[in-house]
Amino acid sequence: AIMKFNAKEDLKRLFVVCLASVIMALNIKSFVRTGGLYPGGATGLTLLIQRSAELFFHITLPYTVVNVVLNSIPVYIGFRFIGKKFTLYSCLMIVLSGALTDILPGYVITYDTLLISIFGGLINGLVISLCLAVNATTGGTDFIAIFLSDRKGIDSWNMILGLNVVILAIAGVLFGWDKALYSIIFQYTSTQVVHILYKKYQQHTIFVVTDHAGAVYEGISKTTHHSATIMEGEGYYEHKERKIVYSVVSSAEIKKVLSVIQEVDPHAFVNVMKTEQVAGRFYQKPNE
């Protein structure tokens, strides 16, 4: 498929990716390295390889080279199964954040490892969420998380957390459990921030009691590309016939949907519930 470019949209994506790269590099230099942490994913594996090379072979490996090599397979998955532009912006993020990590100076903010684990994790989760918001990733296991989420239709970040725990266990065996356990706190904090800020693979179920079911359905369909089921009901207090519109939408779209329903029928009664899992066909906007 031919990649389409939109000047305004792509400039915004470019700016956010560059900003995220700077924040990621500063986080690695000021928090992660000061605390001696392993942040998980390709970044954590890169630092693990760097430290192993220094400790066992007395060789200093450049962060960028190791990081790019480790990201080659996830990048292939991105190009093949997720989206070409999505992968290109992710590659820019990988290379730029890697280069900035090698170039930018580090500033020690605190030597308290617990504070570093928590606030470093918060910043890491923010960077990942910034990238995901403009259809990009920070690379590595993020590609795998998006791939699994697309295929399974579920939020798969906890699976990646499990994979990162394995990487951190290896770090614990090689370099001591103290830093590895702090790194798990870092990774857990980061994953929770992503859960809060990125809602594409989370769903909500909505029930709308309305006298304008057709218009409500049209509003949901145009806003989200999701369909709906219209059921017959009775308002028992007034013994009046009502229509109930039932649909499942992405959590990222719920505010737009509620706004559209309010416009179509200001008197509609809407019940919104968090959905644990859906099976069957559920439309997800493709990653470009």
Side-chain angles (χ1 to χ4, degrees):
I2 297 170
M3 288 187 288
K4 295 178 182 178
F5 289 92
N6 177 303
K8 185 180 176 182
E9 188 65 28
D10 284 296
L11 279 172
K12 176 188 167 186
R13 287 174 82 174
L14 189 62
F15 173 77
V16 171
V17 167
C18 290
L19 176 65
S21 299
V22 173
I23 299 171
M24 173 71 87
L26 289 172
N27 191 37
I28 291 169
K29 293 297 282 283
S30 298
F31 280 108
V32 176
R33 286 189 176 170
T34 303
L37 301 181
Y38 306 93
T43 303
L45 206 49
T46 300
L47 295 175
L48 188 60
I49 290 169
Q50 275 189 306
R51 286 171 193 172
S52 298
E54 285 174 11
L55 184 66
F56 299 116
F57 303 105
H58 308 291
I59 299 170
T60 302
L61 296 173
Y63 178 92
T64 307
V65 174
V66 179
N67 199 37
V68 168
V69 170
L70 287 177
N71 274 291
S72 56
I73 293 173
V75 164
Y76 170 77
I77 291 171
F79 266 114
R80 181 77 175 79
F81 300 106
I82 301 174
K84 290 181 173 60
K85 273 176 74 175
F86 178 91
T87 307
L88 281 175
Y89 279 108
S90 301
C91 287
L92 173 63
M93 175 70 192
I94 293 163
V95 174
L96 190 56
S97 61
L100 289 171
T101 300
D102 285 332
I103 294 166
L104 291 176
Y107 299 97
V108 177
I109 296 169
T110 176
Y111 287 103
D112 188 309
T113 315
L114 182 58
L115 288 176
I116 287 170
S117 303
I118 294 170
F119 285 96
L122 286 171
I123 295 168
N124 193 62
L126 175 64
V127 169
I128 293 170
S129 301
L130 270 175
C131 289
L132 292 172
V134 293
N135 265 343
T137 70
T138 58
T141 48
D142 291 1
F143 278 115
I144 299 167
I146 295 295
F147 173 70
L148 290 174
S149 296
D150 277 342
R151 285 299 169 96
K152 295 181 176 294
I154 59 170
D155 188 326
S156 64
W157 295 97
N158 280 339
M159 295 182 196
I160 301 305
L161 176 60
L163 177 62
N164 285 326
V165 168
V166 173
I167 294 172
L168 297 175
I170 295 169
V173 171
L174 292 175
F175 301 107
W177 288 102
D178 189 47
K179 300 299 185 187
L181 293 174
Y182 276 120
S183 297
I184 291 172
I185 295 173
F186 174 98
Q187 196 59 46
Y188 178 79
T189 305
S190 178
T191 303
Q192 295 317 302
V193 171
V194 174
H195 275 303
I196 292 166
L197 297 180
Y198 186 64
K199 298 180 181 294
K200 180 178 178 181
Y201 297 104
Q202 300 170 29
Q203 293 95 27
H204 275 83
T205 298
I206 55 172
F207 289 95
V208 187
V209 181
T210 178
D211 291 325
H212 305 281
V216 168
Y217 166 76
E218 289 296 331
I220 293 170
S221 180
K222 285 178 183 176
T223 306
T224 68
H225 298 291
H226 293 302
S227 189
T229 301
I230 298 176
M231 299 176 279
E232 299 285 345
E234 179 185 342
Y236 198 75
Y237 181 74
E238 295 180 337
H239 292 284
K240 188 177 177 183
E241 276 192 14
R242 300 280 190 206
K243 300 284 189 187
I244 302 168
V245 182
Y246 159 77
S247 187
V248 179
V249 302
S250 163
S251 299
E253 299 166 327
I254 194 67
K255 285 186 180 178
K256 286 186 196 171
V257 171
L258 293 176
S259 178
V260 167
I261 293 170
Q262 183 64 27
E263 284 177 24
V264 171
D265 182 7
H267 302 291
F269 179 82
V270 186
N271 183 17
V272 180
M273 296 179 290
K274 187 174 180 181
T275 302
E276 288 297 322
Q277 188 175 347
V278 292
R281 293 177 63 189
F282 182 80
Y283 173 81
Q284 288 284 9
K285 185 179 177 183
N287 294 296
E288 292 182 354

